[in-house]
């Protein structure tokens, strides 16, 4: 019997772009039933964005990770799927959503709710909690790379995510970094997931993080970052 996973050593499973197609759609695109090793091209305006693996499923889904140059939902309406023998309109795009998968008994033992904050390398991830046989964190591969390709993640008990929303909601989300130092990785992760970072009094922002945050508009309006030092109010006057 394998030992139970520890909350500070959860296996990380990077999720890449993929497609799920009903048998009828797969037959129209490939000319034969899927065997499990096929890939399909995602095309926009005649240009191939990416080739992704495809598997059979009851409902069509196209999941794209953050490294793909397109947006989810209506903004991706012009996407097409191109197979060896046919072309079809792509289903509505879904982003990779972070998931903390735990056996139900383990969730109860740890007191994990429906959503959780998990430390992934030097970044923090807000994940929906789902039941499953193999415990681990499933996360967008782009975020995993930005966090330093960690092999394990750590559940952060008692840490709440400000601006908490259901997993299927899409409004802008405010992120508070649960550490004193805000790094370039934090800023890149926030931009990848279209989040806004709210700095807290006393936090230190690295110069690289401050430069990217100003360029991309990642920090919430006030306080403003003070590169290499503590945060300060946007209305204050430097001494």
């Amino acid at each position: 019997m394998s030992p139970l996973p520890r909350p500070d050593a959860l296996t990380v499973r990077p999720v890449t772009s993929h497609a799920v197609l009903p048998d009828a759609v797969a037959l129209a695109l490939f000319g034969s039933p899927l065997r499990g090793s096929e890939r399909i091209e995602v095309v926009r305006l005649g240009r191939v964005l990416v080739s992704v693996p495809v598997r059979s499923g009851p409902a069509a889904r196209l999941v794209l990770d953050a490294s793909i140059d397109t947006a989810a939902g209506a903004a991706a309406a012009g996407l097409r799927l191109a197979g060896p023998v046919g072309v079809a309109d792509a289903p509505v795009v879904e982003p990779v959503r972070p998931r903390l998968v735990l056996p139900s008994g383990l969730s109860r033992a740890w007191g994990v709710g429906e959503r959780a904050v998990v430390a992934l390398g030097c970044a923090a991830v807000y994940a929906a909690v789902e039941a499953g046989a193999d415990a681990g964190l499933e996360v967008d591969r782009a975020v995993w790379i930005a966090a330093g390709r960690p092999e394990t993640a750590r559940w952060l008990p008692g840490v709440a995510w400000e601006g908490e929303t259901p997993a299927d909601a899409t409004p802008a989300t405010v992120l508070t970094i649960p550490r004193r130092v805000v790094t370039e990785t934090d800023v890149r992760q926030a931009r990848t997931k279209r989040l806004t970072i709210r700095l807290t009094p006393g936090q230190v922002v690295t110069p690289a993080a401050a430069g990217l945050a100003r360029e991309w508009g990642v920090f919430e309006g006030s306080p403003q970052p003070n590169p290499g030092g503590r945060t300060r109010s946007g209305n204050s006057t430097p001494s």
Side-chain angles (χ1 to χ4, degrees):
M1 181 176 179
S2 59
L4 290 176
R6 304 198 316 266
D8 60 346
L10 297 163
T11 301
V12 178
R13 298 190 284 264
V15 179
T16 59
S17 301
H18 63 275
V20 179
L21 299 177
D23 292 339
V25 177
L27 189 62
L29 295 176
F30 289 90
S32 62
L34 295 175
R35 298 184 300 274
S37 59
E38 294 86 352
R39 299 182 70 87
I40 198 165
E41 292 181 340
V42 181
V43 180
R44 180 172 61 187
L45 301 177
R47 180 172 69 91
V48 177
L49 292 180
V50 67
S51 171
V52 302
V54 58
R55 64 175 185 266
S56 296
R61 298 173 60 227
L62 177 59
V63 179
L64 296 183
D65 64 42
S67 67
I68 307 303
D69 181 26
T70 189
L79 293 181
R80 304 269 283 170
L81 299 181
V85 301
V87 178
D89 290 336
V92 174
V93 176
E94 300 177 16
V96 176
R97 300 188 185 279
R99 302 192 313 151
L100 176 58
V101 181
L102 295 174
S104 56
L106 196 58
S107 294
R108 290 193 296 271
W110 290 356
V112 182
E114 295 181 354
R115 290 179 289 278
V117 179
V118 183
L120 181 70
C122 58
V125 175
Y126 183 53
V129 179
E130 298 183 11
D134 299 321
L137 175 69
E138 295 183 357
V139 67
D140 191 305
R141 184 173 182 272
V143 174
W144 173 70
I145 292 174
R149 302 173 184 261
E151 295 182 357
T152 61
R154 176 168 58 94
W155 170 51
L156 300 176
V159 178
W161 192 275
E162 193 167 349
E164 188 169 313
T165 56
D168 57 354
T170 55
T173 304
V174 175
L175 165 64
T176 299
I177 305 299
R179 285 177 279 101
R180 181 172 178 268
V181 178
V182 179
T183 68
E184 179 182 358
T185 297
D186 296 323
V187 173
R188 290 185 183 278
Q189 180 193 12
R191 187 187 188 233
T192 296
K193 290 300 185 182
R194 293 184 286 277
L195 304 176
T196 300
I197 295 177
R198 176 176 295 165
L199 298 175
T200 57
Q203 275 190 312
V204 174
V205 181
T206 66
L212 285 179
R214 282 196 300 270
E215 178 183 350
W216 292 336
V218 170
F219 287 135
E220 191 181 48
S222 179
Q224 296 295 321
N226 179 16
R230 297 180 182 274
T231 59
R232 58 183 174 84
S233 168
N235 297 323
S236 63
T237 302
S239 56

